[in-house]
Amino acid sequence: ARPMTMMQRREALATIGAAGIALGLPAPATSAAASRKPARLRPGDRVALVKPAGFNADDFDLQLTIEAITAMGLVPVPGPHWKDRFGYLAGTDRDRAADLNAAFADDSISAILAVRGGWGSARILPLLDWKTIRANPKLLVGFSDITALHLAIQARAGFPTIHGPNAGSSWSRYSYGAFRDLVFDGKLPLYRNLPGDDDRLVQRKGRTRTIRPGKAEGRLLGGNLTVLAHLVGTPWLPSFKGAILFIEDVDEAEYRIDRMLTQLGQAGILGGLAGVVFGQCTDCSAKGGGSGFTLFDVLRQHLEPLGIPAYSGAMFGHVDDQFSLPVGCRAEIAADAGTIRLLESPVA
């Protein structure tokens, strides 16, 4: 399902204070490499289906989700509240958090797949049982709003998670193959965009653009730019020092991308990076034109002065065919070639 509009998202962000329940937070986690990793998936494994953010308006979407996960050879286990609705959320904060806590605590559950994004994951972060999560590393899979969970787990639990399709995504053949290679087979793929198939002398589809050439190595951290930017100043961000930042977004005009990158820069996040990969920005243009700067102009203005390898156009984000990126694991990027080479498996 498509995420809510940006206007709805911004209105929702204003309510986060209501969810900021004062709970004791555990000490920040060590890096994923130093922590116990989740087990790789095997056919017949039970996987929890949770909704930490938005709801599905049509139950047929849930049927398709069950069928897709079953087709992978896995056993889908929907959370007790996965059909709930509370405004634009998939149930109350406490109920959504309870499903996630139960999935981490259940020894029969091998992995946790978010059904969809939208908005709401950040609201439940103070309600999660971080002691139990840290003691039970499991693959959490999803993207978009699930970025809040990926980054919080890096900050508070320190094991790898997977920025990849949500359980309710369309699961193209490519996306499933990338996911399976990583979490079933434990492979270390080299990610390069699929070649374009237009009937043209020069291909335009699938192209990457170098912002600053070179290679860089570091652990992968990132996800949705809007979600990341709104976690600045909270306890839920890990250190980005020496990391490769990967970011994507949807339905954001160029000036809003500019605004969020400005925030990351002034918060000190961009300055300590080893490299940057900007993925797909779906429908990211000012309505009616006349934005002044192109998206690439904005990226170059913020990333080129960092003096680190950076490129844009990688295949992850709100698109059908996407890489599965292990958050917290080491990788090498080659900005000239537009590639991401994984150096560390997220699974034991």
Side-chain angles (χ1 to χ4, degrees):
R2 190 174 181 84
M4 65 176 66
T5 66
M6 291 301 101
M7 180 63 73
Q8 290 171 321
R9 188 190 296 184
R10 269 179 280 277
E11 290 172 353
L13 285 166
T15 69
I16 191 170
I21 299 173
L23 298 178
L25 296 174
T30 57
S31 70
S35 303
R36 186 160 57 95
K37 292 183 179 180
R40 69 182 60 194
L41 289 181
R42 292 175 171 82
D45 278 351
R46 289 162 49 87
V47 296
L49 300 182
V50 299
K51 286 187 182 174
F55 70 94
N56 287 86
D58 189 345
D59 282 353
F60 186 60
D61 292 335
L62 305 183
Q63 178 184 327
L64 293 175
T65 300
I66 292 287
E67 292 177 5
I69 303 308
T70 301
M72 297 178 190
L74 301 170
V75 179
V77 182
H81 301 286
W82 88 313
K83 289 189 175 182
D84 287 4
R85 178 174 178 179
F86 177 64
Y88 42 73
L89 302 168
T92 66
D93 292 348
R94 290 194 178 277
D95 286 344
R96 299 193 326 279
D99 281 3
L100 201 61
N101 286 332
F104 273 106
D106 188 343
D107 290 339
S108 75
I109 296 296
S110 298
I112 302 167
L113 279 61
V115 176
R116 59 155 297 171
W119 155 251
S121 297
R123 290 177 55 135
I124 69 172
L125 295 179
L127 301 175
L128 296 180
D129 182 351
W130 289 102
K131 181 178 179 180
T132 297
I133 292 172
R134 197 166 57 250
N136 295 279
K138 298 179 183 182
L139 289 175
L140 173 78
V141 184
F143 80 108
S144 194
D145 192 68
I146 311 307
T147 296
L149 296 173
H150 289 310
L151 295 175
I153 287 174
Q154 289 306 304
R156 297 294 162 185
F159 56 81
T161 57
I162 305 299
H163 181 279
N166 294 318
S169 295
S170 59
W171 287 101
S172 71
R173 186 177 301 275
Y174 178 88
S175 293
Y176 173 60
F179 176 73
R180 185 175 187 87
D181 283 350
L182 193 62
V183 303
F184 281 83
D185 300 333
K187 294 181 180 179
L188 297 177
L190 171 69
Y191 286 131
R192 176 183 281 113
N193 281 14
L194 292 172
D197 56 3
D198 285 334
D199 183 17
R200 299 176 184 272
L201 287 176
V202 176
Q203 288 295 320
R204 300 190 177 201
K205 290 174 60 178
R207 301 293 293 266
T208 60
R209 296 184 69 177
T210 304
I211 298 169
R212 194 175 189 279
K215 292 184 178 181
E217 180 181 328
R219 65 182 186 130
L220 292 168
L221 290 176
N224 180 265
L225 175 59
T226 297
V227 175
L228 168 57
H230 284 89
L231 288 177
V232 170
T234 75
W236 309 112
L237 281 186
S239 169
F240 282 80
K241 184 175 178 59
I244 293 174
L245 175 67
F246 69 93
I247 45 178
E248 58 80 28
D249 223 314
V250 61
D251 286 340
E252 294 287 6
E254 295 87 348
Y255 79 91
R256 291 201 286 262
I257 299 294
D258 187 359
R259 181 170 62 196
M260 290 184 283
L261 289 175
T262 297
Q263 182 178 13
L264 296 188
Q266 294 181 2
I269 290 175
L270 297 183
L273 297 173
V276 181
V277 182
F278 194 89
Q280 299 295 307
C281 207
T282 306
D283 295 332
C284 287
S285 59
K287 301 300 183 280
S291 65
F293 292 126
T294 67
L295 176 61
F296 191 75
D297 289 335
V298 171
L299 296 179
R300 187 166 51 194
Q301 289 166 15
H302 286 277
L303 303 181
E304 194 173 49
L306 299 177
I308 57 177
Y311 76 96
S312 68
M315 272 175 34
F316 61 86
H318 290 70
V319 290
D320 288 337
D321 295 325
Q322 58 175 299
F323 308 149
S324 281
L325 298 174
V327 184
C329 288
R330 296 191 68 79
E332 178 189 74
I333 65 168
D336 312 67
T339 60
I340 304 172
R341 182 188 300 276
L342 300 186
L343 303 177
E344 178 187 2
S345 173
V347 293

